[in-house]
PDB file of all heavy atoms in Angstrom:
ATOM      1  N   LEU A  70      16.541 -11.256  13.519  1.00 85.00           N
ATOM      2  CA  LEU A  70      17.685 -10.460  14.010  1.00 85.00           C
ATOM      3  C   LEU A  70      18.235  -9.706  12.849  1.00 85.00           C
ATOM      4  O   LEU A  70      18.630 -10.253  11.793  1.00 85.00           O
ATOM      5  CB  LEU A  70      18.711 -11.331  14.644  1.00 85.00           C
ATOM      6  CG  LEU A  70      19.877 -10.653  15.174  1.00 85.00           C
ATOM      7  CD1 LEU A  70      19.622  -9.690  16.290  1.00 85.00           C
ATOM      8  CD2 LEU A  70      20.962 -11.624  15.624  1.00 85.00           C
ATOM      9  N   HIS A  71      18.357  -8.293  13.041  1.00 88.00           N
ATOM     10  CA  HIS A  71      19.017  -7.532  12.024  1.00 88.00           C
ATOM     11  C   HIS A  71      20.480  -7.663  12.096  1.00 88.00           C
ATOM     12  O   HIS A  71      21.112  -7.377  13.225  1.00 88.00           O
ATOM     13  CB  HIS A  71      18.575  -6.167  12.332  1.00 88.00           C
ATOM     14  CG  HIS A  71      19.269  -5.112  11.323  1.00 88.00           C
ATOM     15  ND1 HIS A  71      18.780  -4.872  10.174  1.00 88.00           N
ATOM     16  CD2 HIS A  71      20.278  -4.276  11.506  1.00 88.00           C
ATOM     17  CE1 HIS A  71      19.583  -3.988   9.462  1.00 88.00           C
ATOM     18  NE2 HIS A  71      20.409  -3.622  10.401  1.00 88.00           N
ATOM     19  N   GLY A  72      21.150  -8.199  11.147  1.00 89.00           N
ATOM     20  CA  GLY A  72      22.583  -8.526  11.275  1.00 89.00           C
ATOM     21  C   GLY A  72      23.493  -7.409  10.723  1.00 89.00           C
ATOM     22  O   GLY A  72      24.509  -7.128  11.495  1.00 89.00           O
ATOM     23  N   GLU A  73      23.173  -6.770   9.755  1.00 92.00           N
ATOM     24  CA  GLU A  73      24.190  -5.872   9.142  1.00 92.00           C
ATOM     25  C   GLU A  73      23.367  -5.064   8.062  1.00 92.00           C
ATOM     26  O   GLU A  73      22.420  -5.569   7.512  1.00 92.00           O
ATOM     27  CB  GLU A  73      25.340  -6.511   8.551  1.00 92.00           C
ATOM     28  CG  GLU A  73      26.379  -5.675   7.887  1.00 92.00           C
ATOM     29  CD  GLU A  73      27.539  -6.457   7.351  1.00 92.00           C
ATOM     30  OE1 GLU A  73      27.281  -7.531   6.799  1.00 92.00           O
ATOM     31  OE2 GLU A  73      28.670  -5.833   7.387  1.00 92.00           O
ATOM     32  N   GLN A  74      23.842  -3.806   7.861  1.00 94.00           N
ATOM     33  CA  GLN A  74      23.230  -3.039   6.827  1.00 94.00           C
ATOM     34  C   GLN A  74      24.245  -1.987   6.296  1.00 94.00           C
ATOM     35  O   GLN A  74      24.969  -1.463   7.119  1.00 94.00           O
ATOM     36  CB  GLN A  74      21.976  -2.286   7.290  1.00 94.00           C
ATOM     37  CG  GLN A  74      21.173  -1.667   6.238  1.00 94.00           C
ATOM     38  CD  GLN A  74      19.695  -1.654   6.480  1.00 94.00           C
ATOM     39  OE1 GLN A  74      19.257  -1.825   7.690  1.00 94.00           O
ATOM     40  NE2 GLN A  74      18.885  -1.329   5.495  1.00 94.00           N
ATOM     41  N   GLU A  75      24.239  -1.775   5.007  1.00 96.00           N
ATOM     42  CA  GLU A  75      25.134  -0.701   4.431  1.00 96.00           C
ATOM     43  C   GLU A  75      24.482  -0.096   3.307  1.00 96.00           C
ATOM     44  O   GLU A  75      23.742  -0.750   2.617  1.00 96.00           O
ATOM     45  CB  GLU A  75      26.583  -1.400   4.059  1.00 96.00           C
ATOM     46  CG  GLU A  75      26.379  -2.378   2.995  1.00 96.00           C
ATOM     47  CD  GLU A  75      27.738  -3.072   2.540  1.00 96.00           C
ATOM     48  OE1 GLU A  75      28.267  -3.647   3.519  1.00 96.00           O
ATOM     49  OE2 GLU A  75      28.176  -2.973   1.444  1.00 96.00           O
ATOM     50  N   ARG A  98      21.723 -18.338   3.033  1.00 92.00           N
ATOM     51  CA  ARG A  98      22.705 -19.289   3.519  1.00 92.00           C
ATOM     52  C   ARG A  98      22.224 -19.846   4.890  1.00 92.00           C
ATOM     53  O   ARG A  98      21.745 -19.159   5.705  1.00 92.00           O
ATOM     54  CB  ARG A  98      24.082 -18.636   3.752  1.00 92.00           C
ATOM     55  CG  ARG A  98      24.781 -18.215   2.483  1.00 92.00           C
ATOM     56  CD  ARG A  98      26.103 -17.663   2.801  1.00 92.00           C
ATOM     57  NE  ARG A  98      25.912 -16.239   2.421  1.00 92.00           N
ATOM     58  CZ  ARG A  98      26.616 -15.206   2.914  1.00 92.00           C
ATOM     59  NH1 ARG A  98      27.516 -15.519   3.966  1.00 92.00           N
ATOM     60  NH2 ARG A  98      26.415 -13.989   2.614  1.00 92.00           N
ATOM     61  N   PHE A 109      20.596 -17.013   7.068  1.00 92.00           N
ATOM     62  CA  PHE A 109      21.213 -15.704   6.720  1.00 92.00           C
ATOM     63  C   PHE A 109      20.635 -15.244   5.379  1.00 92.00           C
ATOM     64  O   PHE A 109      20.782 -15.910   4.400  1.00 92.00           O
ATOM     65  CB  PHE A 109      22.686 -15.613   6.673  1.00 92.00           C
ATOM     66  CG  PHE A 109      23.327 -15.808   8.073  1.00 92.00           C
ATOM     67  CD1 PHE A 109      23.340 -17.074   8.585  1.00 92.00           C
ATOM     68  CD2 PHE A 109      23.869 -14.700   8.702  1.00 92.00           C
ATOM     69  CE1 PHE A 109      23.944 -17.268   9.891  1.00 92.00           C
ATOM     70  CE2 PHE A 109      24.441 -14.931   9.929  1.00 92.00           C
ATOM     71  CZ  PHE A 109      24.529 -16.139  10.572  1.00 92.00           C
ATOM     72  N   LEU A 110      19.861 -14.284   5.399  1.00 92.00           N
ATOM     73  CA  LEU A 110      19.061 -13.716   4.242  1.00 92.00           C
ATOM     74  C   LEU A 110      19.744 -12.360   3.800  1.00 92.00           C
ATOM     75  O   LEU A 110      19.809 -11.441   4.640  1.00 92.00           O
ATOM     76  CB  LEU A 110      17.649 -13.553   4.607  1.00 92.00           C
ATOM     77  CG  LEU A 110      16.650 -13.091   3.574  1.00 92.00           C
ATOM     78  CD1 LEU A 110      16.564 -14.063   2.381  1.00 92.00           C
ATOM     79  CD2 LEU A 110      15.296 -12.840   4.198  1.00 92.00           C
ATOM     80  N   ILE A 111      20.310 -12.279   2.652  1.00 95.00           N
ATOM     81  CA  ILE A 111      20.977 -11.097   2.221  1.00 95.00           C
ATOM     82  C   ILE A 111      19.970 -10.435   1.178  1.00 95.00           C
ATOM     83  O   ILE A 111      19.703 -11.018   0.091  1.00 95.00           O
ATOM     84  CB  ILE A 111      22.310 -11.377   1.514  1.00 95.00           C
ATOM     85  CG1 ILE A 111      23.222 -12.389   2.331  1.00 95.00           C
ATOM     86  CG2 ILE A 111      23.035 -10.087   1.148  1.00 95.00           C
ATOM     87  CD1 ILE A 111      23.519 -11.852   3.687  1.00 95.00           C
ATOM     88  N   LEU A 112      19.523  -9.251   1.421  1.00 95.00           N
ATOM     89  CA  LEU A 112      18.787  -8.423   0.551  1.00 95.00           C
ATOM     90  C   LEU A 112      19.517  -7.220   0.067  1.00 95.00           C
ATOM     91  O   LEU A 112      20.146  -6.573   0.749  1.00 95.00           O
ATOM     92  CB  LEU A 112      17.500  -7.988   1.333  1.00 95.00           C
ATOM     93  CG  LEU A 112      16.652  -9.085   1.925  1.00 95.00           C
ATOM     94  CD1 LEU A 112      15.496  -8.579   2.832  1.00 95.00           C
ATOM     95  CD2 LEU A 112      16.042 -10.007   0.840  1.00 95.00           C
ATOM     96  N   GLY A 127      21.436  -0.438  -1.206  1.00 97.00           N
ATOM     97  CA  GLY A 127      21.463  -0.909   0.208  1.00 97.00           C
ATOM     98  C   GLY A 127      21.652  -2.360   0.152  1.00 97.00           C
ATOM     99  O   GLY A 127      21.207  -3.098  -0.673  1.00 97.00           O
ATOM    100  N   ARG A 128      22.331  -2.866   1.132  1.00 97.00           N
ATOM    101  CA  ARG A 128      22.520  -4.327   1.359  1.00 97.00           C
ATOM    102  C   ARG A 128      22.359  -4.643   2.807  1.00 97.00           C
ATOM    103  O   ARG A 128      22.907  -3.964   3.682  1.00 97.00           O
ATOM    104  CB  ARG A 128      23.976  -4.713   0.863  1.00 97.00           C
ATOM    105  CG  ARG A 128      24.149  -6.207   0.892  1.00 97.00           C
ATOM    106  CD  ARG A 128      25.615  -6.408   0.163  1.00 97.00           C
ATOM    107  NE  ARG A 128      25.933  -7.830   0.271  1.00 97.00           N
ATOM    108  CZ  ARG A 128      25.714  -8.789  -0.607  1.00 97.00           C
ATOM    109  NH1 ARG A 128      25.058  -8.434  -1.754  1.00 97.00           N
ATOM    110  NH2 ARG A 128      26.080 -10.018  -0.387  1.00 97.00           N
ATOM    111  N   SER A 129      21.405  -5.602   3.098  1.00 94.00           N
ATOM    112  CA  SER A 129      21.139  -5.939   4.533  1.00 94.00           C
ATOM    113  C   SER A 129      21.218  -7.376   4.734  1.00 94.00           C
ATOM    114  O   SER A 129      20.869  -8.155   3.813  1.00 94.00           O
ATOM    115  CB  SER A 129      19.759  -5.292   5.009  1.00 94.00           C
ATOM    116  OG  SER A 129      18.796  -5.833   4.181  1.00 94.00           O
ATOM    117  N   THR A 130      21.582  -7.772   5.956  1.00 95.00           N
ATOM    118  CA  THR A 130      21.564  -9.119   6.298  1.00 95.00           C
ATOM    119  C   THR A 130      20.528  -9.335   7.492  1.00 95.00           C
ATOM    120  O   THR A 130      20.597  -8.567   8.468  1.00 95.00           O
ATOM    121  CB  THR A 130      22.985  -9.530   6.866  1.00 95.00           C
ATOM    122  OG1 THR A 130      23.904  -9.291   5.858  1.00 95.00           O
ATOM    123  CG2 THR A 130      23.028 -10.945   7.300  1.00 95.00           C
ATOM    124  N   LEU A 131      19.670 -10.315   7.251  1.00 90.00           N
ATOM    125  CA  LEU A 131      18.721 -10.662   8.281  1.00 90.00           C
ATOM    126  C   LEU A 131      19.004 -12.059   8.737  1.00 90.00           C
ATOM    127  O   LEU A 131      19.156 -12.918   7.846  1.00 90.00           O
ATOM    128  CB  LEU A 131      17.301 -10.538   7.637  1.00 90.00           C
ATOM    129  CG  LEU A 131      16.135 -10.795   8.573  1.00 90.00           C
ATOM    130  CD1 LEU A 131      16.071  -9.697   9.590  1.00 90.00           C
ATOM    131  CD2 LEU A 131      14.839 -10.739   7.739  1.00 90.00           C
ATOM    132  N   ILE A 132      19.063 -12.397   9.951  1.00 90.00           N
ATOM    133  CA  ILE A 132      19.319 -13.663  10.558  1.00 90.00           C
ATOM    134  C   ILE A 132      17.918 -14.200  11.093  1.00 90.00           C
ATOM    135  O   ILE A 132      17.278 -13.458  11.832  1.00 90.00           O
ATOM    136  CB  ILE A 132      20.336 -13.595  11.629  1.00 90.00           C
ATOM    137  CG1 ILE A 132      21.646 -13.001  11.098  1.00 90.00           C
ATOM    138  CG2 ILE A 132      20.533 -15.100  12.225  1.00 90.00           C
ATOM    139  CD1 ILE A 132      22.590 -12.589  12.201  1.00 90.00           C
TER     140      ILE A 132
END
Side-chain angles (χ1 to χ4, degrees):
L70 177 65
H71 178 78
E73 181 179 34
Q74 191 148 13
E75 64 183 56
R98 288 181 253 152
F109 288 75
L110 183 62
I111 314 298
L112 302 174
R128 185 172 175 94
S129 61
T130 302
L131 184 64
I132 303 166

